[in-house]
Amino acid sequence: MAAYLVRRLVYGAFTVLGVLLLLFVLFFTVTDPDDIARKAVGDRAKAEVYVQWKKNHGYDRPLFVNSEHGVADTKRYTDTLLFEHFRRMLTFDFGRSDADGTPIAKRLREGAGPSLSLTVPLFVLGLLVGVVVSLFVAFFRETYIDRSMLVVCMLAMSIAGLLYIIGGQFLVGTLLRWFPISGFDPDPAVTARFLALPVLVGLVSGFGADVRLYRTVFIEEMNRDYVRTARAKGAGDARIMVRHVLRNALIPILTNVVLAIPFLFTGALLLESFFGIPGLGSLTVEAIQSNDFATLRTMVFLGALLFIAGQLLTDISYALADPRVRLS
Amino acid sequence: MSTPLLSVEQLTVSAPGAAERVRIIDGIGLAVSPGETLALVGESGCGKSMTALAIMRLVSPPLRIHAGSRVLFEGRDILALPATEMRTVRGAQMAMIFQEPMTSLNPVTRVGAQVQEAITLHSDVSPFAARMQVIDLFEMVGIPDPHKRIDAYPHQLSGGLKQRVMIAMAMALKPRLLIADEPTTALDATIRAQILDLIRNLTANTGTAVLLITHDFGVVNELADRVAVMYAGQIVEEGTREDLLARPKHPYAQGLLKSIPRAEQRGGRLEEIQGVVPRPGQWPEGCRFHTRCPYVFDDCVFEPPARTIVSATQAARCHLLTGKALDPA
């Protein structure tokens, strides 16, 4: 078990290094430090301001090789943007935003709360609704209940996520006036009103795919021999579905679900930006729009770390749920 | 013959087909007396297992048991029982063991708990008492170290031990009828005899009748009191073990017997029945066996043979027995 974890962590470290390199190369293929600086100071800024900004933010160095230093000098490679990029990320020294100069660590702290208050309820409710509905549908498989739910799911999956957002804002916010269209308030009592609509929209847009997937898993389990054994014992339908089918189906469902847990921290990109929730998803979208390399790379780096954590968590939960699995 | 414990009449099960529903088993009649072992014999695909599942009412949609089918268990038609009442019969008075011990146990639950579930579903005992009962049962079915093994998961046990667990589960409430669907087919030859002995001894002690489903005449010889031979969804011959092993009347039963390897025929070519069992829905007109029968004649092609009584204990469905053709013997 310990050896397994160590091995996974080493693989994970290589993955993170690869992600950082890829991000750097891709980002500076589409843009360059001059562009970033010009965007930050504005087109009409004086040349000195522009040069000073580049110096302050460390963009006055070359990307890969610094030819000011000799061939034998290690500074030739360490005094570069690439090296600085790795140094900062690996020491968790995220620095300041390229767009407005605020410390990125501060933005992360501020954004985590709003993001979690959206993603956690969405995750928990989504899992609950998905599992309960699909367990129900699987039990009534091949009946009109199952078939009509299939139609609902296919429709739900065929509609683009954006339409749910806009439609939800129009229907619930403008016509029915149940909840505000967008916005956020740190006061928990008021927040619930702001979060209701995005959570609802998130639930509806994820519903179809989840139910289809879980239904397939449940039906596969229901056709297994041990279910027949349970019926032959005289167990009732409810008992069979919950004690036998659900318990076994949780194993494949877990893999799907646990992997998503770390991403609760990075927020929901679309929902946050459309509903004006100042979370980490909004932060990422803003960073993309404003060419804010410092913020964007932080989010990507954290995303990669969380992804690896999610995979580890999945493996561990797999071993806990299925007695046949041994981590080695 | 005493009043039967189980009496199956006109049992028909069908599945949805391309145009209309296809019969998988077709008007089966069987009777099992208390304490008796009836072997249901036939090739794969003839409907043996489906018959067993239908008797347990474990046939699930889209398969369907036809109206007019009757399964009388201790005198009442269990096909007419409400589902909740059927559950009190299933597992308690009528239990079943399956062909595949590897997949028939729930992989994520400890084996002791699975046997315990069978007990607590049907009787009001404390979990502790039920656990003690499971340990006794494990001992009874010959599982070594029952105290430890009840907390094992199925994957930690061998196939033979798993089948013993299944037997413990089935015999937990001393059922009146045990349905054993190819209980030894998936096991090693050395384990096979042990499991057969176990089934014989346990059911003899509790007076449990057995409906044994098998394709293996060795198993028939070991356990059966009476034998019913099944072909293409029908019973084609029935009789005592001696009747079937010594003087089978139906050419299919004869063919099955001839295809058993014997020591005295060593080196010779084994006889086989030509062809395969036709699939449900493709059963031929007339006698269903006529496409593979070595004695086929005109009547066989056009007219389904009626059940002909051969002796007080034996009957078969074959035109040869009505004396219209040459004697097959």
Side-chain angles (χ1 to χ4, degrees):
Chain A
M1 177 86 179
Y4 173 81
L5 288 181
V6 168
R7 199 169 69 230
R8 285 303 296 262
L9 285 173
V10 171
Y11 289 154
F14 279 107
T15 311
V16 170
L17 292 179
V19 166
L20 286 177
L21 181 65
L22 198 66
L23 175 73
F24 185 86
V25 171
L26 284 177
F27 199 88
F28 287 107
T29 310
V30 288
T31 184
D32 58 52
D34 296 339
D35 251 8
I36 297 174
R38 213 178 302 283
K39 261 234 167 78
V41 296
D43 283 337
R44 280 173 297 175
K46 285 182 190 143
E48 307 88 279
V49 180
Y50 166 77
V51 170
Q52 188 59 43
W53 189 92
K54 271 179 84 170
K55 200 172 162 61
N56 289 348
H57 285 82
Y59 286 117
D60 51 347
R61 276 168 286 197
L63 289 178
F64 298 103
V65 181
N66 194 337
S67 43
E68 283 173 25
H69 302 285
V71 183
D73 193 349
T74 49
K75 271 196 160 182
R76 191 178 166 86
Y77 301 101
T78 55
D79 193 17
T80 58
L81 272 181
L82 179 67
F83 187 82
E84 179 68 2
H85 168 65
F86 275 99
R87 187 195 65 76
R88 276 186 177 275
M89 288 299 110
L90 297 179
T91 55
F92 291 85
D93 172 14
F94 301 133
R96 288 167 180 275
S97 159
D98 289 341
D100 56 15
T102 47
I104 292 170
K106 182 166 165 276
R107 295 285 303 266
L108 290 177
R109 276 197 303 278
E110 287 169 356
S115 273
L116 287 174
S117 64
L118 169 67
T119 53
V120 170
L122 184 55
F123 174 77
V124 173
L125 287 176
L127 183 62
L128 216 63
V129 171
V131 166
V132 170
V133 171
S134 50
L135 199 60
F136 185 78
V137 173
F139 182 71
F140 289 103
R141 66 185 187 279
E142 306 301 327
T143 64
Y144 70 96
I145 296 177
D146 181 30
R147 283 174 217 284
S148 36
M149 192 52 92
L150 168 73
V151 174
V152 171
C153 288
M154 293 317 282
L155 277 176
M157 286 165 76
S158 313
I159 296 171
L162 274 180
L163 197 71
Y164 285 115
I165 295 175
I166 298 164
Q169 284 178 328
F170 180 68
L171 185 72
V172 179
T174 311
L175 288 184
L176 298 171
R177 295 180 170 277
W178 287 350
F179 303 116
I181 292 177
S182 79
F184 189 81
D185 193 302
D187 177 6
V190 191
T191 296
R193 285 187 50 76
F194 281 107
L195 289 174
L197 187 54
V199 167
L200 194 70
V201 167
L203 279 181
V204 172
S205 60
F207 175 80
D210 281 358
V211 169
R212 294 310 296 167
L213 175 69
Y214 298 157
R215 175 190 175 275
T216 310
V217 173
F218 284 133
I219 288 182
E220 204 178 302
E221 287 301 324
M222 285 166 73
N223 290 330
R224 297 220 192 265
D225 287 349
Y226 69 80
V227 173
R228 192 182 56 190
T229 307
R231 290 177 69 201
K233 267 190 247 184
D237 291 327
R239 190 186 175 88
I240 287 172
M241 291 305 282
V242 176
R243 284 284 188 94
H244 294 274
V245 172
L246 181 61
R247 175 84 169 75
N248 276 280
L250 275 182
I251 297 164
I253 290 177
L254 262 180
T255 23
N256 185 42
V257 161
V258 177
L259 202 56
I261 289 176
F263 291 99
L264 300 179
F265 294 97
T266 55
L269 296 183
L270 272 185
L271 284 177
E272 284 183 18
S273 48
F274 272 84
F275 285 99
I277 296 165
L280 299 178
S282 295
L283 182 64
T284 311
V285 172
E286 279 167 33
I288 294 170
Q289 285 164 349
S290 59
N291 239 2
D292 182 352
F293 180 61
T295 305
L296 188 63
R297 69 175 175 188
T298 307
M299 296 310 296
V300 172
F301 171 66
L302 292 179
L305 286 185
L306 289 169
F307 179 73
I308 287 155
Q311 281 187 321
L312 264 180
L313 217 59
T314 305
D315 285 347
I316 292 168
S317 58
Y318 216 66
L320 292 178
D322 189 343
R324 287 163 295 184
V325 175
R326 286 262 170 286
L327 296 183
S328 60
Chain B
M1 200 161 71
S2 52
T3 33
L5 171 72
L6 174 80
S7 168
V8 177
E9 296 166 12
Q10 286 300 315
L11 180 63
T12 301
V13 176
S14 67
E20 52 188 2
R21 294 190 73 86
V22 172
R23 293 181 171 207
I24 301 172
I25 55 179
D26 191 7
I28 291 243
L30 283 176
V32 183
S33 302
E36 173 186 62
T37 297
L38 173 70
L40 189 58
V41 188
E43 287 165 281
S44 327
C46 68
K48 295 169 298 186
S49 294
M50 190 49 65
T51 306
L53 291 175
I55 291 170
M56 289 287 281
R57 259 177 78 180
L58 290 176
V59 171
S60 44
L63 300 177
R64 200 168 65 205
I65 300 176
H66 279 216
S69 309
R70 301 219 300 161
V71 176
L72 299 171
F73 182 69
E74 297 184 310
R76 15 174 225 176
D77 184 2
I78 56 171
L79 294 183
L81 288 181
T84 45
E85 212 166 319
M86 184 60 210
R87 289 212 300 269
T88 64
V89 176
R90 229 188 258 139
Q93 297 164 47
M94 193 191 259
M96 187 160 178
I97 50 184
F98 298 96
Q99 180 172 355
E100 281 295 336
M102 307 297 163
T103 55
S104 293
L105 289 166
N106 185 337
V108 299
T109 310
R110 297 174 197 276
V111 289
Q114 298 190 46
V115 178
Q116 198 173 323
E117 187 183 18
I119 296 169
T120 50
L121 275 172
H122 298 285
S123 57
D124 242 339
V125 294
S126 69
F128 179 76
R131 191 178 159 90
M132 290 297 110
Q133 239 172 301
V134 175
I135 293 175
D136 290 345
L137 281 165
F138 273 25
E139 200 144 1
M140 193 174 80
V141 297
I143 295 174
D145 279 337
H147 293 270
K148 274 188 220 147
R149 290 287 160 71
I150 57 168
D151 289 324
Y153 286 100
H155 72 276
Q156 294 165 329
L157 302 182
S158 67
L161 282 183
K162 270 186 254 196
Q163 196 60 299
R164 285 176 200 265
V165 171
M166 288 297 293
I167 292 170
M169 190 188 292
M171 295 302 291
L173 289 125
K174 302 192 169 54
R176 302 273 287 140
L177 175 70
L178 174 70
I179 300 179
D181 184 0
E182 308 247 8
T184 55
T185 305
L187 301 177
D188 288 346
T190 47
I191 310 292
R192 199 167 294 181
Q194 296 173 13
I195 296 288
L196 289 178
D197 278 345
L198 180 64
I199 292 175
R200 183 174 41 218
N201 294 336
L202 284 181
T203 54
N205 287 342
T206 52
T208 300
V210 182
L211 176 60
L212 176 73
I213 291 164
T214 182
H215 62 265
D216 182 346
F217 270 95
V219 176
V220 171
N221 195 24
E222 288 265 330
L223 286 185
D225 300 314
R226 288 196 309 119
V227 184
V229 180
M230 213 173 158
Y231 186 78
Q234 285 182 326
I235 304 285
V236 293
E237 180 162 2
E238 60 200 270
T240 61
R241 176 180 58 181
E242 290 71 29
D243 289 336
L244 259 297
L245 294 181
R247 4 169 226 286
K249 294 297 178 192
H250 197 284
Y252 178 61
Q254 294 167 357
L256 284 181
L257 270 174
K258 277 187 203 152
S259 59
I260 304 170
R262 283 169 215 276
E264 63 267 21
Q265 291 173 343
R266 218 180 132 206
R269 191 176 159 78
L270 208 54
E271 290 209 35
E272 56 179 334
I273 305 175
Q274 294 297 321
V276 291
V277 185
R279 294 160 56 88
Q282 294 166 7
W283 292 333
E285 296 284 306
C287 172
R288 289 179 187 172
F289 187 59
H290 86 250
T291 48
R292 300 171 71 191
C293 183
Y295 310 111
V296 61
F297 64 104
D298 301 357
D299 279 11
C300 307
V301 182
F302 301 110
E303 207 178 310
R307 183 170 175 270
T308 310
I309 310 279
V310 179
S311 72
T313 52
Q314 194 174 9
R317 260 175 215 276
C318 180
H319 283 305
L320 293 169
L321 299 171
T322 54
K324 283 187 182 170
L326 302 166
D327 190 48

